[in-house]
Amino acid sequence: MRLLPALLCLVASAAETRYEIDLSQASARTLLVTVETTCRTADCDFQMPVWNATYRIRDFAQHVTGFEASRPHRLVGPSRWRVQATPGERVRVRYRYFADVPGPFGAAASRRHVFLNFAQVLVYPVDRLREPLTVAFRHVPPDWKIALELPEREGVFHARTYDELADAPAELSAFAEASFTLAGKRLRVVVDAQPGDYDLQLLETTARKVAT
């Protein structure tokens, strides 16, 4: 009976949706995305959101190219792909994403940094929208760090749902950072810019005032 909790944990882990984002072509403003999940039905649909942050319809799927899957698939809508699989089958999809929209409401990749709003970059399996998932990054430059406010274990980030992931933007770069604790919560100030263009202590002081 002692093995039961561990067995249940392994089963849950195998069933979760896993995302991998490869940064090897970030200098060309391109991200290589892999999604692996277990299909509940014969038609396993993957949807790219058309919303994020600005409360208006946006076409993120226009930045997707080279969509492929481990099983036969087809495009069934402007932002939706359908993969044919048997119920319970593990499937994998891959695609390239051109990330060239800078700013807090965008997704951008370059040789200097990568900034992600995940709902602009990652398709989600429609029947697993509210289930746990993981995100891992590959080919991250050795001097870069990752700012992503989700639980992390051994380089893998965990979210309880896709919505929780969408609410956690990520910055990957050799950024400067300050942090402080308020009401038991750690707040981070992360800056990717030339050192002469900002005052990190002033930013931290301002952030404290805003958060108080």
Side-chain angles (χ1 to χ4, degrees), residues 59-115:
D59 182 14
F60 304 127
Q62 66 178 307
H63 305 299
V64 173
T65 59
F67 190 97
E68 59 183 32
S70 56
R71 298 284 292 164
H73 67 282
R74 59 190 174 95
L75 187 67
V76 294
S79 304
R80 193 179 186 113
W81 293 262
R82 179 164 296 161
V83 177
Q84 298 177 16
T86 57
E89 182 178 2
R90 197 76 175 163
V91 299
R92 180 184 296 111
V93 304
R94 294 190 178 96
Y95 57 90
R96 300 161 63 89
Y97 188 90
F98 187 64
D100 192 28
V101 181
F105 303 122
S110 69
R111 62 172 53 88
R112 180 184 175 87
H113 87 127
V114 170
F115 177 76

Side-chain angles (χ1 to χ4, degrees), residues 17-95:
T17 299
R18 299 176 183 174
Y19 293 94
E20 180 180 289
I21 302 175
D22 187 328
L23 308 187
S24 60
Q25 297 182 27
S27 61
R29 306 186 188 282
T30 299
L31 303 171
L32 308 178
V33 178
T34 301
V35 188
E36 185 177 306
T37 194
T38 300
C39 293
R40 291 187 183 280
T41 63
D43 289 331
C44 198
D45 283 8
F46 291 84
Q47 175 75 46
M48 177 67 78
V50 295
W51 48 264
N52 189 54
T54 57
Y55 297 98
R56 60 188 175 92
I57 299 298
R58 301 173 67 186
D59 182 14
F60 304 127
Q62 66 178 307
H63 305 299
V64 173
T65 59
F67 190 97
E68 59 183 32
S70 56
R71 298 284 292 164
H73 67 282
R74 59 190 174 95
L75 187 67
V76 294
S79 304
R80 193 179 186 113
W81 293 262
R82 179 164 296 161
V83 177
Q84 298 177 16
T86 57
E89 182 178 2
R90 197 76 175 163
V91 299
R92 180 184 296 111
V93 304
R94 294 190 178 96
Y95 57 90

Side-chain angles (χ1 to χ4, degrees), residues 120-199:
Q120 300 182 20
V121 176
L122 301 180
V123 298
Y124 61 86
V126 173
D127 58 0
R128 291 189 172 275
L129 179 62
R130 294 176 174 82
E131 297 184 11
L133 57 89
T134 62
V135 179
F137 299 94
R138 298 289 178 261
H139 297 110
V140 179
D143 60 330
W144 283 19
K145 298 173 286 185
I146 302 175
L148 173 55
E149 292 304 293
L150 289 174
E152 180 264 333
R153 293 191 294 274
E154 299 182 351
V156 178
F157 294 86
H158 297 254
R160 290 170 294 184
T161 65
Y162 185 90
D163 288 337
E164 183 177 60
L165 178 66
D167 285 338
E171 168 69 25
L172 297 90
S173 64
F175 53 77
E177 178 179 7
S179 64
F180 58 93
T181 301
L182 186 67
K185 301 292 185 180
R186 185 177 71 121
L187 285 79
R188 302 171 70 184
V189 179
V190 171
V191 184
D192 173 57
Q194 295 296 333
D197 292 341
Y198 66 93
D199 182 330

